[in-house]
Structures are given as C-alpha cells and as structure tokens.
Amino acid sequence: MAKHEIRSPIPGTFYRKPAPDQPVFKDVGDTVAKGDTIGLVEVMKTFHEVKADADGTITAFVLDNEEPVMAGQPLAELD
Amino acid sequence: MPIERLLIANRGEIAVRIIRAARELGIETVQVHSAADADSRAVQLADRAIDIGPPQAAKSYLNVEAILDAAKSAGANAIHPGYGFLAENADFADAVVAAGMAFVGPSGDTIRLMGDKAAARRQAQEAGVPTVPGSDGVIEDMDAAKALAVDLGFPVMIKAAAGGGGRGIRIAHSADEFATLAPQASSEALAAFGDGGIYVEKVIERARHIEVQVLGDGTDVVHCFERECSLQRRRQKVWEEAPSVALKPEVRDGLCASAVALAKSVGYSGAGTIEYLYDDATGDYYFIEMNTRIQVEHPVTEMICGVDLVAEMIRIAGGERLRLSQGDLRAKGHAIEVRLNAEDPANNFMPFPGQIAELTLPDGPGVRFDHMLYRGYQIPPFYDSLLGKLIVWGEDREHAMARLGRALGEMSITGLPTTAPLFQALLGSDDVRASAVHTRWLEPWLEENQHMIMDRGGAAA
C-alpha cells in the first residue's frame, strides 16, 4: 500500500495525548480507520482534533508531542 | 527604587501599551519574546529585545528562569507582567523581588490571598463587602441545606465543592426540586471528584458584570469608578463600557467605596480590579473576585478619567506614593471598548491566525486603537486571538455608540476574519442601545442572529 501522510488542517501546537497525564491517542504500529483521532492541534487556546483521513497502519509520527505545526504540515505517516 | 529599565514579560497589544507608558516616563524598555514573536510590533518598538525560548508559552512567556536571566543580563530593575501569563503568579512576583527587582503589581502575598477564592470571599466579608449569599462552606446535613435554600430564595445553585469547569452544578427552582437534586449533586460529585461535599449559592438572574478599578500604593487606595462588561461569550468579555448606565449615583458610591475598603484591607499596591455581579431587579451587588493585575479593558477607565493607569502602576512600583486623591478623580463622558479578535464570527468564532493583508485603521476625535498589527503581519497561532481593542469616547453613551459605528466603518482589515462584524451587528440591537443586557444575554442573541452576522461578515470582506 502507498504511503499516506496525515496533515494538520490548521497551524498551532500538536499534542499526541488528550491530556498530559493520559496515554497517546495512537502509537506507531497502531492501525487506524478513517475518522479516528490521532492527536490535537491547539490554535489560539482552542483545541481541535486531527482525524485520520485514510485507513492504515501508523509507521511514524513526523512531529513530537507539543511541537509547533504549520497548516498543511504532515503529522504522521500511514502504510 | 526608581525604575530605570523595565522588562516586559508579555506580548501582543499589552506589551505595546506598556512600552508606550514606560517611554513617556523616560524608562528604557526590554522586551522578551518567544521565537514566534521575533517580528512582533512590541519587539520592534522596544529599546532592546531578548529571545527567551520556543513559541509555546510554557517554554517562553511562562519560563520564569529564562525571564529572570534576561532581566539580569539586560540590567533591568523592574518587570511588568501585563495580563495573563505570569501576571497573577504569586511565586513569580516573589522571585522578581528576591532577584532584587521591582514587580509592577502587588506583593506575592496579596496575589496569593486574592487568588484563593474562599480566602478572597472571607476577606471581602471582613471588609464589609457583600458576597453572593450562600452556605458558609460545605453542607453536610441535607435538611439544613434545604432550610438554607428556602431562606436564600429560589432559584439556588448547588455546587460541588471539589468541582470545576461547570461540572457538578445543579440549579433548583423550588424546595421539592432541591430535595431531589441536592443528593444527586452530592453523589455525582463523589463519583466524579471523590468528594461529595456540596455548597449552596443564590442564583442572581439577569446579573450585570460590573467591576471597579482601584489604584493603591500599599497604604492609600483610590477608585477610578466602574466598568460594565455584561456582554460576554463563553465567559469572555467582548464589549466593555465605562461608566455603567445601570447604576444610580448612590449605588455607584457604595459599590466604589466597598472596592476601596477591600483593597485597603489587604494593603493593595498597584492597579487592581474588584469584580461584582449586579442584580438589576434589586439594585444589590455581590463581590465575585479581585484581579490583581492590569486588565484588558483598562482603557475605557482611562478615557473617562483622563488617567494613564499603566503609567501610574509603574510609578507606584518604583516607590512613588499615589499622585491622585479621590477628589482629583472625576468621570467625564462615556467610553466603549470592543475586542477585535482573529476569529470568524460567521463560523462559530473559530480562531484564524492569518496574515494581515490590507490595514486601514480608524482615527479622528474620541477614537483610540490599542493593537499590535501592521501590514503583512503573520498572526502566530500559539497565543490568544486578541488583535487589538477599539476604544471610543463620547460625551454620553449615545454619542459613544455613534462614534463606535463611525470608527468601525472606517476600519478595514483584510487577509483574515475578525470579530468586527459582530460589533456592527450589536450596535443595531435595541437591547444594546438601551443597555438592557446581562451576562447571559449575548449567547442566545448570537444564536438568533447568526445569519445577520454572517451577512455583515460577507459584506465587510
């Protein structure tokens, strides 16, 4: 299957966890279905869920937790 | 210790505001900034700028060590915290003083005391300031709770002592309803927070948000009258005025005197705001909390009093006594401020950190625009959405609203949506024109008028 990138629709700060004391939404090796939440992007103090736009298995996270992200930048790679 | 070099531990429009006040006082300015704010207006205006870390606030504007290091290396002898970030962090205030600098604000102990809701409520009661009627702490006995609720008069709010963010709150409209809801609230609180403690508070329906500006030098305190900020969305103020047209003169006198009494009782130093709920039906007012910092909406007070609050708080931090007596302070005319946010009012106020394309600012008589914008400025996505504040002054409220409409008509910001269409729409509301509003007025109005605001947004773009 071709490599697919999940991109952030908005700029902000990327979070892999729903809250600091909770586990990550998804990890490398997890399978995801279209519509699954893979992380949050905080823009101007509001949080928006980033959802997988394809089915697949996560092969890598391009960004670490709490890293700044620009709109359109890849967050994770699917196979 | 007179302030010679001031470090500004903030960003955006308030950093610009502080730099201006400092410069007029002959004080040098040091602007700390994150990597995302290197090309901000505050950095361009300050005498010196120091990068203190990555974009995320936790690694820059909230990084106490980096800020103190910057202050030392720049030779600053005072720090202004602005609002938000570290402004009401008592440990930061203490650390600034321990490092041998002046903190532009009250002492760490005062911040700590007024930041604790229960302690602040007790302090207010001891100073003779009315608080929202309710139980003194947690209620154990349901029969006693019911008797108290009947005493307070319905509706009453049942709150979980350990709750927060609106969870664990019930509103009872009668004694029967209370008897059903109170045990529910208690067991929900026990399940959610591991603590079933509840307390009871009277619901002030149709309350206005009214707040009193005070200035203190640690001994003396004066007030600069009140502001009304009843137009709120999600508990965020969007439109503020001074004075409040809801208050009769004798009520205003009592309200402002109570704020002075509370500030005096804690030996308040600097600029502060005491917030109240005002019950239109009875004319009663109740203390909610004290904000121990300069507030976003301070300019409306400056416009009616002719006082530079930011300059005054810097002077006080530098060891000066209050320069104004209560008798010197007179309110003249009416001022309105609207908050211009980088949000799309046609899309549920979704934040939109775009780039400023064209920028035409309003000016002329009675118009002030405190902002951080310039043509081509890319709004960083990492901080709040406030772009600026349009403030107008008029001889009376009618005149101020006419000026607000005129100024909004002159203003044009393209490249990103802003909340400007909301204010044009609000000026057309009969309730706003008559000031027949309360803190829960705006949200239902927004739902009913969504299409009208969208149309205005479309026309403005």
Side-chain angles (χ1 to χ4, degrees):
Chain A
M1 204 161 94
K3 198 177 92 172
H4 179 86
E5 288 176 335
I6 302 174
R7 293 167 185 273
S8 178
I10 47 172
T13 303
F14 177 56
Y15 295 95
R16 288 188 53 195
K17 306 168 176 180
D21 56 350
Q22 285 175 32
V24 294
F25 285 104
K26 294 288 175 188
D27 227 328
V28 173
D30 287 355
T31 55
V32 294
K34 193 174 169 178
D36 283 357
T37 300
I38 65 140
L40 301 173
V41 173
E42 179 189 7
V43 55
M44 296 181 149
K45 295 186 167 183
T46 62
F47 290 84
H48 302 270
E49 292 186 341
V50 181
K51 295 179 190 301
D53 51 358
D55 300 337
T57 303
I58 296 179
T59 53
F61 276 93
V62 183
L63 285 187
D64 285 336
N65 190 43
E66 295 184 20
E67 274 206 87
V69 58
M70 299 310 292
Q73 192 178 343
L75 297 171
E77 291 172 0
L78 295 185
D79 216 355
Chain B
M1 174 176 65
I3 295 171
E4 286 154 0
R5 194 171 294 160
L6 178 69
L7 181 137
I8 296 122
N10 213 295
R11 62 175 304 282
E13 67 86 22
I14 194 64
V16 172
R17 172 75 186 85
I18 296 164
I19 290 168
R20 286 175 169 157
R23 191 155 285 158
E24 288 170 15
L25 291 169
I27 295 170
E28 286 178 41
T29 52
V30 180
Q31 178 65 52
V32 294
H33 65 90
S34 74
D37 278 337
D39 53 4
S40 69
R41 197 149 174 256
V43 165
Q44 292 165 359
L45 285 174
D47 295 312
R48 186 173 168 191
I50 300 177
D51 185 332
I52 49 162
Q56 300 94 312
K59 296 174 183 170
S60 49
Y61 297 106
L62 294 171
N63 185 342
V64 172
E65 205 178 322
I67 291 167
L68 293 179
D69 283 351
K72 272 174 218 156
S73 77
N77 69 340
I79 296 184
H80 197 308
Y83 52 65
F85 297 122
L86 295 167
E88 287 170 284
N89 183 315
D91 294 341
F92 178 65
D94 285 343
V96 171
V97 173
M101 291 177 282
F103 177 76
V104 184
S107 69
D109 284 344
T110 301
I111 297 172
R112 216 167 269 121
L113 172 68
M114 299 318 275
D116 175 333
K117 282 218 164 194
R121 182 179 156 98
R122 272 197 304 278
Q123 188 72 35
Q125 286 166 344
E126 280 167 24
V129 181
T131 53
V132 179
S135 57
D136 283 321
V138 173
I139 302 182
E140 306 290 348
D141 178 344
M142 284 298 164
D143 289 334
K146 190 170 153 184
L148 176 68
V150 171
D151 246 21
L152 291 171
F154 293 97
V156 299
M157 207 182 287
I158 308 161
K159 287 181 168 177
R167 288 203 300 170
I169 293 181
R170 295 274 201 290
I171 292 180
H173 295 87
S174 67
D176 285 347
E177 209 178 4
F178 185 88
T180 314
L181 292 178
Q184 274 179 21
S186 180
S187 49
E188 183 189 279
L190 185 63
F193 313 114
D195 174 359
I198 55 166
Y199 61 97
V200 179
E201 232 175 60
K202 186 174 171 64
V203 175
I204 315 295
E205 289 179 297
R206 296 184 158 269
R208 291 176 190 265
H209 175 110
I210 295 182
E211 57 188 34
V212 178
Q213 176 70 52
V214 295
L215 277 174
D217 63 9
T219 308
D220 291 324
V221 176
V222 294
H223 70 77
C224 304
F225 304 95
E226 82 283 0
R227 299 184 282 265
E228 176 168 349
C229 324
S230 297
L231 294 180
Q232 302 184 5
R233 179 180 170 274
R234 296 192 177 166
R235 295 184 177 273
Q236 297 295 309
K237 299 162 185 168
V238 304
W239 163 309
E240 300 105 341
E241 307 189 19
S244 167
V245 291
L247 297 186
K248 293 193 179 107
E250 62 272 23
V251 176
R252 173 173 299 117
D253 291 347
L255 177 80
C256 293
S258 81
V260 169
L262 176 56
K264 265 193 178 158
S265 78
V266 297
Y268 197 78
S269 180
T273 298
I274 293 139
E275 297 193 327
Y276 298 84
L277 286 177
Y278 176 73
D279 187 340
D280 253 353
T282 63
D284 293 327
Y285 50 85
Y286 306 102
F287 168 79
I288 325 171
E289 64 179 16
M290 178 164 191
N291 294 321
T292 55
R293 55 170 155 81
I294 192 73
Q295 284 190 282
V296 176
E297 62 271 26
H298 73 274
V300 289
T301 298
E302 295 183 325
M303 297 294 266
I304 64 161
C305 289
V307 172
D308 184 331
L309 291 168
V310 178
E312 293 302 327
M313 71 192 292
I314 295 171
R315 285 173 177 274
I316 292 163
E320 287 187 41
R321 298 294 308 271
L322 272 182
R323 300 186 312 139
L324 300 154
S325 69
Q326 195 62 61
D328 297 332
L329 287 155
R330 298 249 192 282
K332 185 165 183 279
H334 195 93
I336 302 174
E337 171 184 287
V338 295
R339 296 194 191 190
L340 207 68
N341 291 344
E343 294 171 7
D344 187 356
N347 183 21
N348 200 28
F349 294 88
M350 172 83 167
F352 191 99
Q355 187 172 22
I356 304 288
E358 294 301 317
L359 183 65
T360 309
L361 300 180
D363 48 22
V367 175
R368 166 176 168 184
F369 191 43
D370 281 21
H371 69 99
M372 57 177 199
L373 307 176
Y374 56 84
R375 190 179 295 184
Y377 179 54
Q378 170 64 51
I379 315 296
F382 308 105
Y383 315 105
D384 69 34
S385 58
L386 184 67
L387 297 174
K389 309 169 315 200
L390 175 58
I391 306 117
V392 295
W393 179 90
E395 290 163 21
D396 53 28
R397 191 167 184 269
E398 192 68 29
H399 187 211
M401 285 192 293
R403 275 202 168 141
L404 178 59
R406 188 267 291 171
L408 285 167
E410 289 177 13
M411 186 175 73
S412 169
I413 300 174
T414 63
L416 75 177
T418 75
T419 46
L422 167 65
F423 305 119
Q424 291 280 18
L426 282 171
L427 279 173
S429 152
D430 290 341
D431 283 350
V432 170
R433 298 207 77 85
S435 191
V437 295
H438 52 87
T439 55
R440 295 195 191 115
W441 179 89
L442 181 59
E443 290 190 5
W445 182 88
L446 283 170
E447 293 209 350
E448 282 166 32
N449 293 280
Q450 188 61 31
H451 287 286
M452 193 246 291
I453 299 164
M454 284 169 78
D455 291 348
R456 282 180 186 272

